[in-house]
Structures are given as structure tokens and as C-alpha cells.
């Protein structure tokens, strides 16, 4: 329930939030609530991914990517996500989610969500996603072109390219396993 409440609060604040450039970092401020905790009394690992969804929603609304997706009759879909946990976030502590575009390739867009408390990174969620329409996947270059960004992605860090390749490898393995099972 608190996730719906957070989403509604974010959407109600939206008219007062400034539009953002696609290469800027958007920031959403939050607080840890008791329902965010695991048995160790800190934010549970899975909650980071859910909270990253809220940071991503703020990002796509403020950058205009959502309007662009609607023009393409497409919706954003997360394909893969990865998390790095560095420090605890405990009950009632305030924190920020810093969301930024890392770049894109022929199919995927890559976003980073940093969970920041007192100027230090508590955790990071990286995701790769697509915009999918009834006609298939919309190329990221088409989306960013509509946002006034050059078609060419900034260079992706080596670790990000390797992670994306490993995700593709897992997808191929799963397809092979499913084909062998039928």
C-alpha cells in the first residue's frame, strides 16, 4: 500500500517539478517506512528495485520520455535489473533516489538509480529496458531523437556492456532450454 501512496504523492507533486534534460539527474526524496524493512530492520533488497520504479517514473515524466512513448504508442518495459547494496537504510531515515540515463544501444536503454543518504551511496540499481508498441520494440534512437538528443549514445562503461552481454547470454540459454524441453 505504501508504494501506491508514494506513487500518488509523486504524481501530485509533479506539476511543481521542473522538466529535466534527458542527460540530467533527477532526484526523488523519500523516507524509509516500516513496510520497507526486512527481518534485519533495514530496507529489504527487493524494495530497492520497487523504489527504483518510482525514480524511473519521475525521470520519464520529467524528461518528456513518457509523452514521446505515447506518440509511438509504446510503453516502457524493464528487461533486466541489477543491484549493488553498500550501506543500510533504516526505518524513518530520509534518502534520495538519483536517476540518470547511462546510454543506449540498438535495442536497450540503460538507466541508473543511486540511493543516496547523507551524500553517500547506499545502493545502486541499474536497469535496461525497452519501449514496446504493438508493432514491436521502438529503437532507443527514435525515442531520444524525439527528446532532442543526438541519435548516438554516449560511450557505455565496459562493466555495463559486459553486464548487458551477460543478460543476452542468459536469455539465449533460457531459450535453448525451453526449446529442448518441448
Amino acid at each position: 500500500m505504501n508504494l501506491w501512496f508514494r506513487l500518488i504523492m509523486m504524481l501530485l507533486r509533479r506539476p511543481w517539478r521542473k522538466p529535466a534534460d534527458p542527460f540530467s539527474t533527477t532526484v526523488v526524496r523519500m523516507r524509509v517506512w516500516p513496510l520497507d524493512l526486512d527481518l534485519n530492520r533495514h530496507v529489504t533488497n527487493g524494495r530497492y528495485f520497487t523504489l527504483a520504479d518510482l525514480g524511473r517514473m519521475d525521470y520519464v515524466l520529467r524528461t518528456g520520455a513518457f509523452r514521446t512513448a505515447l506518440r509511438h504508442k509504446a510503453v516502457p518495459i524493464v528487461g533486466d535489473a541489477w543491484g549493488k547494496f553498500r550501506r543500510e537504510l533504516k526505518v524513518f531515515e530520509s534518502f534520495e533516489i538519483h536517476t540518470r540515463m547511462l546510454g543506449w544501444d540498438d535495442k536497450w536503454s540503460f538507466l541508473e538509480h543511486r540511493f543516496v543518504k547523507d551524500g553517500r551511496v547506499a545502493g545502486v540499481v541499474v536497469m535496461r529496458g525497452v519501449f514496446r508498441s504493438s508493432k514491436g520494440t521502438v529503437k532507443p534512437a527514435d525515442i531520444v531523437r524525439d527528446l532532442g538528443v543526438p541519435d548516438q549514445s554516449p560511450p557505455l562503461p565496459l562493466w555495463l556492456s559486459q553486464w548487458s552481454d551477460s543478460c543476452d547470454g542468459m536469455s539465449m540459454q533460457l531459450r535453448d532450454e525451453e526449446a529442448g524441453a518441448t
Side-chain angles (χ1 to χ4, degrees), residues 19 26 80-81 97 178:
T26 61
D80 300 280
I97 302 173
E178 290 171 351

Side-chain angles (χ1 to χ4, degrees), residues 56-115:
R56 194 164 39 261
M57 177 66 76
D58 180 66
Y59 176 86
V60 299
L61 289 171
R62 291 183 57 205
T63 61
F66 190 72
R67 281 191 311 277
T68 298
L70 287 177
R71 280 196 294 277
H72 286 274
K73 297 181 179 159
V75 293
I77 306 287
V78 173
D80 300 280
W82 165 86
K84 171 73 177 159
F85 310 105
R86 299 184 71 223
R87 292 179 176 76
E88 293 180 314
L89 291 175
K90 295 184 178 182
V91 72
F92 303 123
E93 289 182 331
S94 60
F95 65 95
E96 299 174 337
I97 302 173
H98 295 213
T99 302
R100 68 184 180 117
M101 169 68 73
L102 296 174
W104 57 91
D105 62 20
D106 291 336
K107 179 179 181 182
W108 301 102
S109 298
F110 300 92
L111 288 177
E112 175 189 76
H113 308 281
R114 289 185 180 214
F115 292 77

Side-chain angles (χ1 to χ4, degrees), residues 142-162:
D142 295 339
I143 298 291
V144 298
R145 188 179 311 111
D146 287 353
L147 295 173
V149 174
D151 294 0
Q152 183 63 41
S153 171
L156 298 177
L158 179 61
W159 65 264
L160 184 60
S161 297
Q162 290 173 338

Side-chain angles (χ1 to χ4, degrees), residues 125-170:
V125 170
V126 175
M127 60 74 52
R128 70 178 194 166
V130 297
F131 285 95
R132 175 93 23 103
S133 74
S134 61
K135 299 174 186 175
T137 301
V138 179
K139 292 187 177 198
D142 295 339
I143 298 291
V144 298
R145 188 179 311 111
D146 287 353
L147 295 173
V149 174
D151 294 0
Q152 183 63 41
S153 171
L156 298 177
L158 179 61
W159 65 264
L160 184 60
S161 297
Q162 290 173 338
W163 173 71
S164 184
D165 291 343
S166 74
C167 292
D168 291 339
M170 177 179 260

